Amino acid sequence: MEWSADILGIDFQSCALDVEGPDGVVRRATLVRHRPESMTLEAEATRGALLFLHGWSDYFFNVELARFWARHGYEFFALDMHNHGRSLTSGSPGGYVANLGDYDAEISRALEVIHSESPGPRPNGVAMMGHSTGGLIAALWTSKHRDQVQHLILNSPWLEMHGSSIVRRAAQVMVGPIARVRPEMVLRLPERGFYFRSISNTAEGEWPLDEKYRPPLAFPVRAGWLSAVLAGHSQVARGLDLDIPVLVLTSAASANGMVWQESMRRSDAVLDVGIIALRAMALGRSVTLERVDGGLHDVFLSAPKVRADAYARLSRWIRGYMESELPQVRQEGDA
């Protein structure tokens, strides 16, 4: 692999992955790794590795998150999936995918690279972390590749439409015919830049965002993309039956509406956290739900005290599920 200096600067490198999908189309993704220059040879024997998947119309930029995992002894990698972030190419429809399964090949390739780049043993294997649509993609991918990921962490995963499955079914009826005939047709939906306003240091937030990779109003919503997401929601609603530990973090509250509200500084201005919490229980048999008071849509981009709480909750889960073995079940007749 040809790693080069990444846009995040010191301690980060990236490389392009050109991967052919099952449909024969070659798509470009970009793998980012956090490799601290201060890392000693002794420290390179890590506990495990983690692959992060960003949300829709987004890219990886949270260096604080990468350093958190490094402090816990995990090699950190992030994938800018095709048509997103570092993987955008001239003329490509930003954020577009016609089937969420089209991401499968690049995720699998990223994990192959992660295994080949290992500087030492990984007693805790590989974990996957996904935010928003990336959380949906991570859950679906894991359900199809059950032996490749040992732990799953989902940060405000987009598991269902606002309100209920009734809303989703109604949307499928309306969008499905358009998606089949004109999948890249742009749907004229209201544009809301409230989440960007809550996180960008050019507005109400503290995070430096590259607007080329993370536009304030997001990429255009296309019929094929929305149809693909709705199909993913349907899969989750039927149950994924994951048999690995899953952590789901969300804000404690949602804030919706067509005008800015001060509550959007301390709530999820994108998703309905109530229905997400409900759908989380359909992911598998061992699901932990953490609701973070004052959390934004990405709880790890919240105000400092709030995200400190989110990291504390994540650390507790890591200690309980990733750094300790499950107790042995006593069989009948055991002493």
Short mmCIF file of all heavy atoms in Angstrom, two decimals, residues 262-285:
data_model
loop_
_atom_site.label_atom_id
_atom_site.label_comp_id
_atom_site.label_asym_id
_atom_site.label_seq_id
_atom_site.Cartn_x
_atom_site.Cartn_y
_atom_site.Cartn_z
N GLU A 262 -32.67 26.99 19.69
CA GLU A 262 -31.52 26.89 20.58
C GLU A 262 -31.32 25.47 21.10
O GLU A 262 -30.21 25.07 21.43
CB GLU A 262 -31.66 27.88 21.75
CG GLU A 262 -31.37 29.32 21.36
CD GLU A 262 -29.96 29.49 20.80
OE1 GLU A 262 -28.98 29.16 21.50
OE2 GLU A 262 -29.85 29.93 19.64
N SER A 263 -32.42 24.71 21.18
CA SER A 263 -32.31 23.32 21.64
C SER A 263 -31.46 22.47 20.71
O SER A 263 -30.98 21.40 21.10
CB SER A 263 -33.70 22.70 21.79
OG SER A 263 -34.38 22.69 20.54
N MET A 264 -31.25 22.93 19.46
CA MET A 264 -30.44 22.17 18.52
C MET A 264 -28.96 22.17 18.89
O MET A 264 -28.19 21.40 18.33
CB MET A 264 -30.63 22.72 17.10
CG MET A 264 -32.02 22.45 16.55
SD MET A 264 -32.33 23.23 14.94
CE MET A 264 -33.97 22.61 14.58
N ARG A 265 -28.57 22.99 19.85
CA ARG A 265 -27.20 22.97 20.36
C ARG A 265 -26.95 21.79 21.28
O ARG A 265 -25.81 21.48 21.61
CB ARG A 265 -26.91 24.25 21.15
CG ARG A 265 -26.97 25.56 20.39
CD ARG A 265 -26.72 26.69 21.36
NE ARG A 265 -26.89 28.00 20.77
CZ ARG A 265 -25.91 28.71 20.22
NH1 ARG A 265 -24.69 28.20 20.18
NH2 ARG A 265 -26.14 29.90 19.73
N ARG A 266 -28.02 21.14 21.75
CA ARG A 266 -27.87 20.08 22.74
C ARG A 266 -28.81 18.89 22.47
O ARG A 266 -29.24 18.21 23.40
CB ARG A 266 -28.13 20.65 24.14
CG ARG A 266 -29.46 21.38 24.29
CD ARG A 266 -29.61 22.05 25.65
NE ARG A 266 -30.91 22.69 25.80
CZ ARG A 266 -31.19 23.92 25.33
NH1 ARG A 266 -30.26 24.62 24.71
NH2 ARG A 266 -32.40 24.42 25.51
N SER A 267 -29.12 18.67 21.20
CA SER A 267 -29.98 17.54 20.84
C SER A 267 -29.65 17.10 19.42
O SER A 267 -28.87 17.72 18.72
CB SER A 267 -31.45 17.94 20.97
OG SER A 267 -31.72 19.08 20.20
N ASP A 268 -30.27 16.00 19.01
CA ASP A 268 -30.08 15.47 17.66
C ASP A 268 -31.03 16.21 16.72
O ASP A 268 -32.25 16.03 16.79
CB ASP A 268 -30.36 13.97 17.64
CG ASP A 268 -29.95 13.31 16.34
OD1 ASP A 268 -30.08 13.95 15.28
OD2 ASP A 268 -29.49 12.15 16.38
N ALA A 269 -30.48 17.02 15.83
CA ALA A 269 -31.28 17.80 14.89
C ALA A 269 -31.47 17.08 13.56
O ALA A 269 -31.93 17.68 12.60
CB ALA A 269 -30.64 19.17 14.66
N VAL A 270 -31.13 15.79 13.52
CA VAL A 270 -31.21 15.02 12.27
C VAL A 270 -32.18 13.84 12.41
O VAL A 270 -33.06 13.66 11.56
CB VAL A 270 -29.82 14.51 11.86
CG1 VAL A 270 -29.90 13.68 10.58
CG2 VAL A 270 -28.85 15.68 11.68
N LEU A 271 -32.03 13.04 13.47
CA LEU A 271 -32.79 11.81 13.60
C LEU A 271 -33.77 11.85 14.76
O LEU A 271 -33.63 12.66 15.68
CB LEU A 271 -31.84 10.62 13.80
CG LEU A 271 -30.84 10.33 12.68
CD1 LEU A 271 -30.02 9.10 13.04
CD2 LEU A 271 -31.54 10.13 11.34
N ASP A 272 -34.72 10.93 14.72
CA ASP A 272 -35.67 10.71 15.79
C ASP A 272 -35.05 9.68 16.74
O ASP A 272 -35.04 8.48 16.47
CB ASP A 272 -36.98 10.18 15.20
CG ASP A 272 -38.06 9.88 16.23
OD1 ASP A 272 -37.72 9.73 17.41
OD2 ASP A 272 -39.23 9.78 15.83
N VAL A 273 -34.50 10.14 17.87
CA VAL A 273 -33.76 9.24 18.75
C VAL A 273 -34.67 8.21 19.41
O VAL A 273 -34.21 7.13 19.80
CB VAL A 273 -32.97 10.02 19.82
CG1 VAL A 273 -31.91 10.90 19.16
CG2 VAL A 273 -33.88 10.85 20.72
N GLY A 274 -35.97 8.51 19.53
CA GLY A 274 -36.90 7.54 20.10
C GLY A 274 -37.03 6.30 19.25
O GLY A 274 -36.91 5.17 19.75
N ILE A 275 -37.24 6.47 17.95
CA ILE A 275 -37.38 5.31 17.07
C ILE A 275 -36.04 4.61 16.87
O ILE A 275 -35.99 3.39 16.70
CB ILE A 275 -38.00 5.72 15.70
CG1 ILE A 275 -38.42 4.49 14.90
CG2 ILE A 275 -37.05 6.58 14.89
CD1 ILE A 275 -39.54 3.69 15.53
N ILE A 276 -34.92 5.36 16.94
CA ILE A 276 -33.61 4.73 16.83
C ILE A 276 -33.37 3.80 18.02
O ILE A 276 -32.87 2.68 17.87
CB ILE A 276 -32.49 5.79 16.75
CG1 ILE A 276 -32.67 6.67 15.51
CG2 ILE A 276 -31.11 5.11 16.74
CD1 ILE A 276 -32.76 5.93 14.20
N ALA A 277 -33.73 4.26 19.23
CA ALA A 277 -33.58 3.43 20.42
C ALA A 277 -34.41 2.15 20.30
O ALA A 277 -33.96 1.06 20.68
CB ALA A 277 -33.98 4.22 21.66
N LEU A 278 -35.61 2.28 19.77
CA LEU A 278 -36.46 1.11 19.59
C LEU A 278 -35.86 0.13 18.58
O LEU A 278 -35.80 -1.07 18.83
CB LEU A 278 -37.85 1.56 19.12
CG LEU A 278 -38.88 0.46 18.85
CD1 LEU A 278 -39.20 -0.29 20.13
CD2 LEU A 278 -40.15 1.06 18.25
N ARG A 279 -35.41 0.65 17.43
CA ARG A 279 -34.85 -0.22 16.40
C ARG A 279 -33.53 -0.86 16.84
O ARG A 279 -33.17 -1.93 16.36
CB ARG A 279 -34.63 0.57 15.12
CG ARG A 279 -35.88 0.76 14.31
CD ARG A 279 -36.32 -0.55 13.66
NE ARG A 279 -37.59 -0.37 12.98
CZ ARG A 279 -38.78 -0.68 13.49
NH1 ARG A 279 -38.85 -1.22 14.71
NH2 ARG A 279 -39.88 -0.47 12.81
N ALA A 280 -32.81 -0.22 17.75
CA ALA A 280 -31.54 -0.79 18.21
C ALA A 280 -31.73 -2.18 18.78
O ALA A 280 -30.85 -3.05 18.65
CB ALA A 280 -30.90 0.14 19.25
N MET A 281 -32.88 -2.42 19.39
CA MET A 281 -33.13 -3.72 20.00
C MET A 281 -33.30 -4.83 18.96
O MET A 281 -33.27 -6.01 19.30
CB MET A 281 -34.37 -3.65 20.88
CG MET A 281 -34.24 -2.69 22.06
SD MET A 281 -32.85 -3.07 23.18
CE MET A 281 -31.67 -1.80 22.70
N ALA A 282 -33.47 -4.44 17.69
CA ALA A 282 -33.60 -5.45 16.62
C ALA A 282 -32.25 -5.85 16.04
O ALA A 282 -32.20 -6.71 15.16
CB ALA A 282 -34.49 -4.91 15.50
N LEU A 283 -31.18 -5.25 16.54
CA LEU A 283 -29.86 -5.53 15.97
C LEU A 283 -29.32 -6.89 16.36
O LEU A 283 -28.66 -7.57 15.57
CB LEU A 283 -28.87 -4.45 16.38
CG LEU A 283 -29.13 -3.04 15.84
CD1 LEU A 283 -28.17 -2.05 16.46
CD2 LEU A 283 -29.01 -3.03 14.32
N GLY A 284 -29.53 -7.29 17.60
CA GLY A 284 -28.95 -8.55 18.05
C GLY A 284 -29.34 -8.89 19.46
O GLY A 284 -30.25 -8.30 20.05
N ARG A 285 -28.61 -9.86 20.03
CA ARG A 285 -28.96 -10.40 21.34
C ARG A 285 -28.24 -9.72 22.50
O ARG A 285 -28.59 -9.95 23.66
CB ARG A 285 -28.68 -11.90 21.35
CG ARG A 285 -29.62 -12.70 20.46
CD ARG A 285 -29.23 -14.15 20.39
NE ARG A 285 -28.06 -14.36 19.54
CZ ARG A 285 -27.40 -15.50 19.47
NH1 ARG A 285 -27.75 -16.51 20.23
NH2 ARG A 285 -26.36 -15.61 18.66
#
